[in-house]
Amino acid sequence: MTENQEPHPTAFEDLLAEGASVPTEGWDFSWFEGRATEARPSWGYAVSMSERLGRATAVLDVQTGGGEVLDFALATASAPKPPLLTVATEGWPPNVAKATTLLRPRGVAVVAAAEDDPLPFADGAFDLVVSRHPVRPHWEEIARVLQPGGTYFAQHVGPSSAFELVEYFLGPQPDGVRSARHPDSERADAEAAGLDVVDLRAERLRMEFHDIGAVVHFLRKVVWMVPGFTVEAYEPRLRELHERIRTEGPFVAHSTRHLFEARKPG
């Protein structure tokens, strides 16, 4: 920390207030620096995406969030020219606005589309569909908008991701919840939609939360972890966890991620 930096607050109430006030739009996690960490998968999704963008002509990014990953991948794509057509969808209005501002200078149109709605594009419109951490992949729609020979390339959240934190607040979860998003199930669903799975890799990655403000911000940002989370509703558990972190050190959890690549038969 430099002499011009303010130290992070340490009092429980101050940490809660800070975690509850930080904006949650987009998928920029830079606020967590020095406060929480998560190991990254070995395959380097954004860089791998940029390599595929360099070979594509029409690209769709599904559930782009704030557009940060697509923006990075386009900036580092190896082709001398970007794809002729790049479109992104997003369902949360604050993220639609954020992604539009970020991606418009790159010629990317951001389309407001609810995550459960059919994709608002014609059959066979894209030769590459990408997605980082979709809430759920809609395999029939992905297969429909891919042209024959086209590729779906994505990084998905896996089963029981960060469940040490989830179950701290919600208690033990049933097996059906813990096993949701399993890569084997997704493989079967993708194949049932007519796609050929050509690469599927999974990793379990260490997470650390160094203060309760980081926990609050994380649960506000990743809203499906503890549905309906508010500071007021969970204040007693938050206070207990604050004391645990203060006396025992960082709260450790483990995220699960899998790389998924599938092709539509030509």
Side-chain angles (χ1 to χ4, degrees), residues 140-180:
E140 293 80 6
E141 283 295 286
I142 291 166
R144 181 183 64 78
V145 301
L146 275 174
Q147 67 182 37
T151 296
Y152 175 70
F153 183 72
Q155 179 175 292
H156 293 179
V157 176
S160 302
S161 189
F163 259 43
E164 297 94 337
L165 187 64
V166 170
E167 294 188 330
Y168 175 83
F169 289 98
L170 298 181
Q173 297 297 290
D175 290 343
V177 174
R178 296 184 63 86
S179 62

Side-chain angles (χ1 to χ4, degrees), residues 55-59 85 124-129 145-147 149-152:
R55 304 191 296 267
T57 57
V59 178
L85 173 68
F126 304 98
D127 59 322
L128 177 64
V129 175
V145 301
L146 275 174
Q147 67 182 37
T151 296
Y152 175 70

Side-chain angles (χ1 to χ4, degrees), residues 5-266:
Q5 287 179 307
E6 292 295 327
H8 294 319
T10 56
F12 174 68
E13 291 77 9
D14 292 341
L15 288 166
L16 285 192
E18 185 179 21
S21 65
V22 181
T24 58
E25 294 85 354
W27 289 116
D28 180 2
F29 284 76
S30 59
W31 180 86
F32 287 100
E33 184 174 353
R35 313 184 71 149
T37 60
E38 179 181 358
R40 296 303 179 195
S42 61
W43 48 75
Y45 175 71
V47 173
S48 297
M49 186 211 290
S50 72
E51 295 169 355
R52 286 157 176 81
L53 290 174
R55 304 191 296 267
T57 57
V59 178
L60 170 62
D61 183 19
V62 178
Q63 298 179 32
T64 194
E68 298 90 350
V69 177
L70 179 59
D71 180 67
F72 171 86
L74 286 168
T76 56
S78 58
K81 293 182 180 180
L84 293 174
L85 173 68
T86 305
V87 183
T89 66
E90 175 56 34
W92 192 41
N95 274 351
V96 173
K98 184 178 179 68
T100 298
T101 299
L102 181 62
L103 295 173
R104 182 190 292 119
R106 297 199 182 279
V108 178
V110 178
V111 178
E115 61 196 33
D116 291 324
D117 287 351
L119 293 171
F121 307 105
D123 297 358
F126 304 98
D127 59 322
L128 177 64
V129 175
V130 297
S131 190
R132 181 181 179 273
H133 301 178
V135 175
R136 65 185 63 83
H138 297 286
W139 296 111
E140 293 80 6
E141 283 295 286
I142 291 166
R144 181 183 64 78
V145 301
L146 275 174
Q147 67 182 37
T151 296
Y152 175 70
F153 183 72
Q155 179 175 292
H156 293 179
V157 176
S160 302
S161 189
F163 259 43
E164 297 94 337
L165 187 64
V166 170
E167 294 188 330
Y168 175 83
F169 289 98
L170 298 181
Q173 297 297 290
D175 290 343
V177 174
R178 296 184 63 86
S179 62
R181 302 172 180 248
H182 196 284
D184 291 344
S185 299
E186 293 194 346
R187 175 195 289 274
D189 292 341
E191 291 174 344
L195 299 174
D196 295 329
V197 178
V198 298
D199 195 5
L200 181 55
R201 288 177 266 168
E203 293 183 1
R204 187 169 184 262
L205 305 155
R206 182 181 176 94
M207 307 172 71
E208 292 186 356
F209 294 90
H210 294 262
D211 68 58
I212 201 65
V215 171
V216 169
H217 183 48
F218 179 78
L219 294 178
R220 291 178 57 240
K221 194 174 185 73
V222 191
V223 295
W224 52 87
M225 288 290 179
V226 179
F229 172 84
T230 64
V231 167
E232 294 75 19
Y234 287 95
E235 193 273 344
R237 290 297 279 165
L238 288 166
R239 185 177 293 276
E240 291 175 14
L241 185 54
H242 168 71
E243 291 300 324
R244 175 174 164 180
I245 292 172
R246 190 177 63 83
T247 58
E248 301 178 13
F251 181 86
V252 176
H254 295 85
S255 64
T256 57
R257 302 286 184 264
H258 51 275
L259 184 73
F260 202 105
E261 186 168 13
R263 293 200 182 103
K264 184 173 181 176

